[in-house]
Amino acid sequence: MEQISQQIQQATQLIRQANNIVAMTGAGISTPSGIPDFRSPDSGLWDTTDPLTVASIFAFRQHPENFYSWIHPLAGKLLDARPNMAHYALAELEKMGKLQAIITQNFDGLHRKAGSQTIFELHGNLREATCIQCYRAKEATRIFEKFVTDGQVPTCECGGVLKPNVILFGEQLPMQEFIGAQLAVKAADLMLVVGSSLEVAPTSDLPTLALENNARLVMINYQPTYLDRKADIVIRADVAEVLPQIIEPVIA
Ligand code: ZN
């Protein structure tokens, strides 16, 4: 405990000194908001199905109904979830002009709900959907609210199945978002990695890019990562508890 409070003070100090902060967030920032990490076998979402067999683009094209029945219990949680103190702390840091961008692996939209402005959503979002037959894009919030209620596979006027604009296994990351994220990282003097175990490339390479450009690196995450030894500070604790403690003295 003693050690963690010291680390929090050091992290606060680094944030005070920084002018161009970029935060990269993963599932760990949203689990305190009640969203299970669907990559984790402990999430409950693996109990009956391996996500790889239903949540890949190949599986989706062949059996969209399997994807939709798998994601059904998660979809309600995603749409109802509220941001937690960690999301709000990052939004505050942006309002101060210290934080320039958030790069996220989450598609829950919680950074947006918390008021953050510059967000690179590398794994997409649930605000839009695209028809897999005619490729028309649609605003999708209401479409997915209806799906949560009735469980019916959402379809387009043309009869094609609608795919949420989330990046499924086997799909490329959205190129423009990724390039934007890289540029933000190159300009950063401090990178905060929050609740990501840095296991999915190429996203996991972004903190290395930050280090190559002489940025400081602060990581808050329960799981060890490949970069722990190179980071300035590694804090193993609950993100929703620790991140506000780090940021509040800077905002006050
Ligand atoms: Zn269509």
Side-chain angles (χ1 to χ4, degrees):
M1 251 19 257
E2 186 66 19
Q3 197 207 355
I4 286 185
S5 63
Q6 213 169 21
Q7 287 176 315
I8 288 172
Q9 281 179 22
Q10 288 167 350
T12 301
Q13 198 51 37
L14 286 185
I15 287 178
R16 278 213 172 92
Q17 291 161 358
N19 297 307
N20 190 328
I21 301 172
V22 168
M24 187 166 114
T25 67
I29 196 170
S30 291
T31 43
S33 288
I35 297 173
D37 174 6
F38 73 96
R39 284 194 177 76
S40 154
D42 303 329
S43 65
L45 291 163
W46 292 60
D47 291 353
T48 50
T49 322
D50 175 349
L52 285 168
T53 65
V54 292
S56 75
I57 185 61
F58 316 106
F60 186 91
R61 288 181 173 280
Q62 285 191 315
H63 293 289
E65 69 283 4
N66 291 351
F67 168 82
Y68 274 111
S69 65
W70 171 76
I71 205 168
H72 192 254
L74 180 62
K77 285 179 189 165
L78 283 163
L79 293 179
D80 289 343
R82 307 297 313 156
N84 62 57
M85 296 311 286
H87 295 101
Y88 287 117
L90 291 178
E92 285 298 321
L93 212 50
E94 185 182 33
K95 281 192 199 114
M96 285 182 70
K98 270 190 177 284
L99 183 132
Q100 307 305 328
I102 292 175
I103 300 163
T104 188
Q105 296 168 283
N106 303 334
F107 51 83
D108 51 40
L110 290 182
H111 287 299
R112 199 169 297 264
K113 283 187 188 170
S116 288
Q117 302 283 324
T118 305
I119 311 162
F120 298 105
E121 294 175 311
L122 298 185
H123 293 180
N125 67 74
L126 285 171
R127 292 183 303 280
E128 290 183 322
T130 306
C131 172
I132 61 170
Q133 210 159 284
C134 73
Y135 296 102
R136 207 177 305 166
K138 288 174 182 301
E139 204 288 314
T141 308
R142 251 182 273 153
I143 292 172
F144 292 124
E145 280 168 0
K146 181 171 174 293
F147 161 68
V148 169
T149 312
D150 67 14
Q152 299 294 311
V153 172
T155 51
C156 172
E157 287 84 2
C158 81
V161 170
L162 291 174
K163 177 190 161 293
N165 279 8
V166 298
I167 307 304
L168 301 181
F169 295 107
E171 279 191 290
Q172 297 281 335
L173 296 188
M175 192 47 80
Q176 273 180 320
E177 298 282 305
F178 192 70
I179 290 171
Q182 278 182 319
L183 289 174
V185 167
K186 280 185 189 166
D189 57 6
L190 169 64
M191 185 159 187
L192 293 170
V193 174
V194 181
S196 170
S197 38
L198 303 178
E199 276 166 351
V200 188
T203 310
S204 54
D205 299 332
L206 291 172
T208 303
L209 183 63
L211 289 173
E212 284 167 5
N213 286 274
N214 301 314
R216 312 300 290 263
L217 181 61
V218 175
M219 312 226 274
I220 309 162
N221 195 46
Y222 270 125
Q223 312 299 328
T225 76
Y226 80 99
L227 268 181
D228 284 2
R229 277 188 306 152
K230 290 194 175 167
D232 291 276
I233 304 171
V234 179
I235 304 177
R236 293 218 190 292
D238 184 337
V239 168
E241 245 173 66
V242 162
L243 195 59
Q245 288 182 50
I246 293 172
I247 292 175
E248 265 158 24
V250 184
I251 301 168

